Amino acid sequence: MTRREKALALLHAGTVIPATPLALTEKREFDEEQQKVLTGYYLAAGAGGIATAVHSTQFEIRMPQYNLFERVLRTVAGAIDEYEQKTGRVIVRVAGVCGKTAEAVHEAKIAKEYGYDAVLLSPGGLNDLTEEQMLARTEAVAREMPVIGFYLQTAVGGRRFSYEYWARLCEIPNVVAIKSAPFNRYQTLDVVRAAALSSRAGEITLYTGNDDNIVVDLLTEYRFQKDGATYKKRFEGGLLGHWSIWTKKVVEMFGNIKKNHTVTPEMLTLAAEITDANAVVFDAAHNFAGCIPGIHEVLRRQGLMKGTWCLDPDETLSPGQSEELDRVLATYPHLVDDDFVKKYLNGVEKEGGSA
């Protein structure tokens, strides 16, 4: 098997894929070295994949005044290259792509050039397109790269899609997975049912992006009856901004779930605890306004980022968000991987400050 075939096999089996944030200096300039350190942390923690140039990496990286899309892809790919060469472990590389058809195809070609294995195709900012046009866009991108479909929540620029949309998307060749992140049970069920009943059901892997329901998504076996037959489907992995923090603990939890899918009272309690923590980090109280700075603040406190700066200077922590984070850290210390991060950063320092 080629490296890409191995990576796609891992994607199909299901794994932990953090959606990475963007490391910046105080001047809001891209900090390549810190981005490498951050990427190294995810890999050392045991993540099976890395997703970059996605929502948590800030869509603004594509704006001409920043022009960071290609540079970010190159930096993250380089860090993964070094890790794969050192360890022999293959990492799934996912690049976010955005925009109307021509732009999305162009970004997919850049991702291919830098050795990415699949693209996460964002529907954001395209509410003027019909579902038919969105499907044609997916087909065009899928001719360039394996595609991960994406149900994005409306609070951060997504839209509502019909069940028929997902049923047709599942039939597109080279759609290899779907990230379901509408933060909505009804809409998530549309995706799962469409995938389960598709003629390509065995070729499409479901990834949860529902940060408000991570554990229950992973624990649940969905069943659908049609024409006397039963069709089953699971979320096999997660591609999440929330998994860009406390990643060592995430990997441990994910391994336990994948091992036996046992639903216990303790697992349901853990599910609620993670949802509470996510509500604070993602700033649900203010309609997710402080989502990206919230991720940055967790990583800043651990020493993995230098600050909470975003490309947009108005994108900051919301009032009370930092205090709420204090509460979460005190209430759920078992969710936090501070000890692992300290050991990792000590190792980075001994190696000369790079991942």
Side-chain angles (χ1 to χ4, degrees), residues 80-310:
I80 296 173
D81 281 340
E82 290 182 18
Y83 179 83
E84 288 186 341
Q85 289 164 10
K86 285 180 182 177
T87 65
R89 191 161 75 93
V90 171
I91 302 300
V92 181
R93 308 177 191 205
V94 178
V97 301
C98 299
K100 293 187 178 180
T101 303
E103 181 184 347
V105 168
H106 176 66
E107 291 191 357
K109 288 179 177 178
I110 294 173
K112 182 191 293 185
E113 179 184 341
Y114 285 106
Y116 283 80
D117 303 301
V119 296
L120 179 66
L121 184 57
S122 173
L126 301 175
N127 290 349
D128 57 320
L129 299 187
T130 65
E131 290 192 349
E132 192 73 36
Q133 290 171 317
M134 293 292 283
L135 289 166
R137 170 179 175 260
T138 302
E139 289 174 343
V141 175
R143 286 192 285 270
E144 295 294 333
M145 283 281 284
V147 167
I148 301 172
F150 190 5
Y151 208 158
L152 177 66
Q153 62 157 325
T154 57
V156 292
R159 64 188 277 189
R160 178 73 182 264
F161 288 103
S162 68
Y163 167 78
E164 289 72 23
Y165 170 84
W166 294 109
R168 290 181 61 189
L169 184 135
C170 287
E171 297 301 326
I172 296 173
N174 220 23
V175 170
V176 295
I178 299 173
K179 170 181 173 172
S180 183
F183 289 34
N184 180 290
R185 294 294 85 207
Y186 303 117
Q187 292 166 26
T188 292
L189 276 168
D190 282 345
V191 172
V192 179
R193 181 162 64 99
L197 300 181
S198 170
S199 68
R200 300 183 64 250
E203 301 172 60
I204 294 174
T205 304
L206 296 181
Y207 275 73
T208 182
N210 288 316
D211 300 77
D212 63 341
N213 203 61
I214 298 167
V215 175
V216 174
D217 269 356
L218 292 170
L219 285 171
T220 303
E221 180 180 76
Y222 297 83
R223 298 178 186 174
F224 305 94
Q225 303 286 335
K226 185 177 180 181
D227 300 329
T230 300
Y231 298 85
K232 301 176 182 179
K233 200 69 175 169
R234 286 188 178 276
F235 283 95
E236 300 294 350
L239 198 171
L240 295 142
H242 187 72
W243 281 3
S244 68
I245 60 171
W246 310 325
T247 310
K248 182 64 174 176
K249 293 293 185 179
V250 168
V251 170
E252 292 171 0
M253 176 199 74
F254 181 77
N256 289 336
I257 291 174
K258 289 287 279 189
K259 192 173 182 179
N260 51 34
H261 289 103
T262 301
V263 181
T264 64
E266 290 77 14
M267 288 303 295
L268 295 178
T269 297
L270 177 65
E273 293 172 344
I274 291 172
T275 298
D276 186 18
N278 177 263
V280 173
V281 175
F282 273 43
D283 195 28
H286 299 93
N287 205 29
F288 306 97
C291 168
I292 293 173
I295 293 171
H296 291 188
E297 175 62 10
V298 172
L299 297 171
R300 184 198 67 79
R301 293 187 185 200
Q302 291 185 304
L304 287 162
M305 293 187 80
K306 296 175 183 176
T308 63
W309 311 294
C310 294

Side-chain angles (χ1 to χ4, degrees), residues 285-343:
H286 299 93
N287 205 29
F288 306 97
C291 168
I292 293 173
I295 293 171
H296 291 188
E297 175 62 10
V298 172
L299 297 171
R300 184 198 67 79
R301 293 187 185 200
Q302 291 185 304
L304 287 162
M305 293 187 80
K306 296 175 183 176
T308 63
W309 311 294
C310 294
L311 292 171
D312 180 354
D314 293 329
E315 197 165 355
T316 60
L317 291 171
S318 292
Q321 191 177 358
S322 181
E323 290 78 8
E324 272 289 274
L325 185 56
D326 292 338
R327 174 186 69 81
V328 162
L329 293 172
T331 306
Y332 310 122
H334 53 285
L335 300 182
V336 177
D337 65 352
D338 285 354
D339 290 342
F340 174 79
V341 171
K342 287 176 184 175
K343 291 177 183 176

